[in-house]
Amino acid sequence: MKKITKIANGYVGYTEGPNNDTKFGKWFGLNYQPWCAMAVSKIFHEAGKIGAVAPKTKPKGFASCDEWLKHLSKNGQLVPIGEAKRGDLVFFQFDKDAEPDHVGIVRGNSKKLRLLNVWEGNTSSGRAGSQSNGDGFYVRRRSYSLVMAIARPTVKGAK
C-alpha cells in the first residue's frame, strides 16, 4: 500500500480543466467524462496493482463505478464498512438510487466516529459543490452513512 499512498498523495490538490478535462480521462481514453473511477484506476495501475481490483480484460481498470462495484461484488471482494482499511476501495451513495455515485480509496478509518478518510478524484474540496462530479482530487472525510460498499484488493492480483 506504500506505492498507492505515495501516488494518491501526489495527486492531492490536482484540479481539472473545463468540462472534466483531466489527465485521468486522457490516460483512460475517455476525457471530458466523470473521472472518479478513472483516477482510482490510474493510481492502482501506476502502483502496479490494477490486477488486485480489475480483471485481465480491463488492464486500465474501470471508468464506471457501477460496473466496477458489480465486478468486485461478483469476485467476492466486499468487506464490512467497519473493517475498511487503507488501500480499500470505497463506493459512495449520495442520492437514493440503486447505483454507486462515486468511488475513492480509503486512507483511514475511524470506527469510533464512524468516519472514513478517503482519497477522491472528481469531487469538491468541501461541502459545497458536487461531491460526485467536482473539480479536483482531494482527501475527504466521509460518514459511514454515505458508504454503499467497501471492496478489498486481492492479494493474488497485487503483484
Side-chain angles (χ1 to χ4, degrees), residues 7-96:
I7 294 165
N9 280 334
Y11 284 122
V12 173
Y14 170 83
T15 55
E16 67 182 37
N19 301 314
N20 286 324
D21 179 17
T22 68
K23 61 176 71 181
F24 305 104
K26 288 173 185 164
W27 168 80
F28 198 88
L30 285 173
N31 204 18
Y32 303 105
Q33 300 298 315
W35 51 278
C36 61
M38 291 184 274
V40 171
S41 291
K42 188 173 191 314
I43 291 166
F44 272 82
H45 188 272
E46 284 182 38
K49 309 242 185 247
I50 196 65
V53 293
K56 288 182 182 181
T57 57
K58 296 276 189 180
K60 286 190 172 184
F62 290 85
S64 161
C65 293
D66 187 52
E67 182 184 8
W68 203 350
L69 181 54
K70 285 176 183 172
H71 163 74
L72 295 165
S73 178
K74 187 173 133 182
N75 206 37
Q77 291 181 251
L78 301 187
V79 297
I81 295 170
E83 293 178 20
K85 65 181 185 179
R86 183 181 289 247
D88 286 348
L89 301 183
V90 54
F91 292 86
F92 294 101
Q93 179 59 265
F94 296 130
D95 55 26
K96 300 297 178 201

Side-chain angles (χ1 to χ4, degrees), residues 1 7 10 17 19 33 35 48 58 62-63 66 99 102 106 109 118 120 135 138-139 141 146 155:
M1 288 301 114
I7 294 165
N19 301 314
Q33 300 298 315
W35 51 278
K58 296 276 189 180
F62 290 85
D66 187 52
E99 295 182 8
H102 190 61
V106 175
N109 181 359
V118 183
E120 300 176 31
D135 67 349
Y138 305 105
V139 174
R141 187 165 62 174
L146 297 173
V155 173

